[in-house]
Amino acid sequence: MAIQKVMVIGAGQMGSGIAQVCAQAGYEVILNDMKDEFFERGLNTITKNLARDVEKGRKTEEEKSAVLARITKSLTIEDAKDVDIIIEAAVENMDIKQSIFKQLDEIAPKHAILATNTSSLPITEIAAVTKRPEQVIGMHFMNPVPVMKLVEIIRGLATADEVYETVAEMTKQLGKTGVEVNDFPGFISNRILLPMINEAIYALYEGVASKEAIDDVMKMGMNHPMGPLTLADFIGLDTCLSIMEILHEGLGDSKYRPCPLLRKYVAAGWLGKKSGRGFYIYE
Ligand code: CAA
């Protein structure tokens, strides 16, 4: 199936990034959010990213305008009636995602693929509320979307081969590398990344080293672009905790227990960069 029209649900950090890369690849994009201000904030981020590309000589002013012209505002899920694929990037909450997928299943054309950008919720469980579980799939982009090359493509239990192939081809068109992953807690990215971050938090909690030292070891010793505690702040400590809980519950192994210090920070509202304070303080 050839994809031409894409709908992205959620104009936040991930959704706006996904909309940007889709529009850059030439797709018609409907960017949906519940409120005008959320859409405008997302569009503003995209516009700033494109302006930087122009400034750096990676795009012309005309190319920037063409990308923006391919993005249409949507404030109603009814706009799903006329698209080939929907990529959902709403909040990481199973009830909300299931409610969105139920509605999409009613509204979207029969051929449309329903994809989710979830970082850790089971694709199979989201697919189960629809009458087309074979057309439901995970497309897990990494943050920041315009920069990161990877898309984890997650097959739910019922995902059809041709749906996987279509999404793998679209991922290539986006200039990204897709990897095929089966639907198990945390998929691959977060099954490996989050226990590393959690272990770094344990090292801090047990007084093995300072936060700066822990980050320096991984940055300079292992060539990671960010140390694990800085990365945790970047991802959001509430998100880190929620993913650790999903791993712990889903895999039933105590090696995935979330560090008490992580729980304490989240309880304090120290959620990382977005709240101004996590392991580090952000002005
Ligand atoms: N949107 C668009 N572009 C961005 C960006 C953003 N949010 N943040 C950075 N960039 C661009 C910058 O504009 C810059 O491009 P140019 O200078 O060429 O114009 C380039 O990326 C490099 O940025 P900086 O020089 O500011 O800083 P940096 O070299 O430290 O790179 C980084 C920033 C790309 C974020 C880098 O630190 C990095 O790769 N960090 C790790 C990111 C990571 O691990 N992401 C995965 C998180 S986990 C996840 O997403 C999955 C999940 O489910 C939790």
Side-chain angles (χ1 to χ4, degrees):
M1 182 185 97
I3 303 274
Q4 287 176 343
K5 221 163 168 187
V6 181
M7 182 179 196
V8 178
I9 299 201
Q13 204 172 29
M14 297 304 287
S16 64
I18 295 167
Q20 180 185 330
V21 296
C22 288
Q24 283 176 177
Y27 295 105
E28 288 300 318
V29 180
I30 297 178
L31 178 55
N32 169 277
D33 211 316
M34 287 180 306
K35 285 193 186 164
D36 201 35
E37 61 183 281
F38 298 155
F39 169 83
E40 289 302 333
R41 202 182 304 157
L43 188 66
N44 196 26
T45 304
I46 297 171
T47 309
K48 273 193 194 147
N49 287 342
L50 295 173
R52 190 175 166 88
D53 284 345
V54 172
E55 208 179 283
K56 292 254 170 168
R58 289 187 291 248
K59 277 191 185 65
T60 62
E61 194 59 52
E62 292 69 40
E63 284 165 340
K64 174 187 156 202
S65 303
V67 171
L68 288 172
R70 281 195 283 273
I71 301 175
T72 310
K73 172 163 78 176
S74 156
L75 300 176
T76 166
I77 202 163
E78 294 293 329
D79 292 330
K81 65 181 184 299
D82 181 28
V83 298
D84 303 310
I85 186 168
I86 296 121
I87 306 174
E88 172 277 325
V91 292
E92 288 287 85
N93 173 298
M94 183 54 92
D95 290 344
I96 293 174
K97 290 207 193 284
Q98 285 186 329
S99 151
I100 291 172
F101 273 72
K102 243 188 215 162
Q103 294 177 66
L104 288 175
D105 192 31
E106 300 285 321
I107 301 162
K110 274 200 167 55
H111 74 275
I113 293 174
L114 312 184
T116 171
N117 176 56
T118 183
S119 61
S120 52
L121 295 172
I123 309 303
T124 307
E125 219 174 301
I126 296 171
V129 301
T130 73
K131 293 187 197 79
R132 57 177 106 182
E134 66 289 346
Q135 283 162 250
V136 177
I137 195 162
M139 273 183 102
H140 182 207
F141 292 79
M142 303 293 130
N143 187 19
V145 179
V147 178
M148 306 301 279
K149 288 276 166 263
L150 179 79
V151 178
E152 254 185 319
I153 307 175
I154 306 121
R155 282 177 179 268
L157 196 57
T159 308
D161 288 345
E162 56 269 31
V163 170
Y164 173 80
E165 296 305 335
T166 302
V167 167
E169 182 52 39
M170 179 183 177
T171 301
K172 242 190 249 167
Q173 295 297 321
L174 298 179
K176 308 277 184 202
T177 299
V179 295
E180 183 179 355
V181 177
N182 288 318
D183 187 20
F184 284 96
F187 316 132
I188 285 296
S189 56
N190 284 328
R191 181 166 177 162
I192 296 174
L193 177 66
L194 262 296
M196 186 209 48
I197 288 175
N198 195 48
E199 199 57 33
I201 303 171
Y202 265 110
L204 180 68
Y205 176 62
E206 291 168 11
V208 182
S210 69
K211 54 181 185 282
E212 292 84 1
I214 293 167
D215 275 351
D216 280 349
V217 166
M218 299 307 287
K219 247 169 59 182
M220 287 183 271
M222 281 74 187
N223 249 0
H224 289 197
M226 285 173 164
L229 300 173
T230 304
L231 183 56
D233 278 355
F234 177 72
I235 292 170
L237 302 191
D238 50 343
T239 304
C240 291
L241 178 58
S242 141
I243 297 171
M244 283 313 296
E245 279 170 338
I246 286 170
L247 290 175
H248 195 204
E249 195 191 317
L251 297 164
D253 190 322
S254 64
K255 74 179 177 185
Y256 300 111
R257 73 225 174 283
C259 178
L261 189 62
L262 175 60
R263 286 194 189 284
K264 201 177 202 173
Y265 274 42
V266 172
W270 295 3
L271 305 182
K273 208 167 171 201
K274 64 183 167 191
S275 74
R277 180 166 195 167
F279 293 105
Y280 297 91
I281 293 173
Y282 302 86
E283 299 303 334

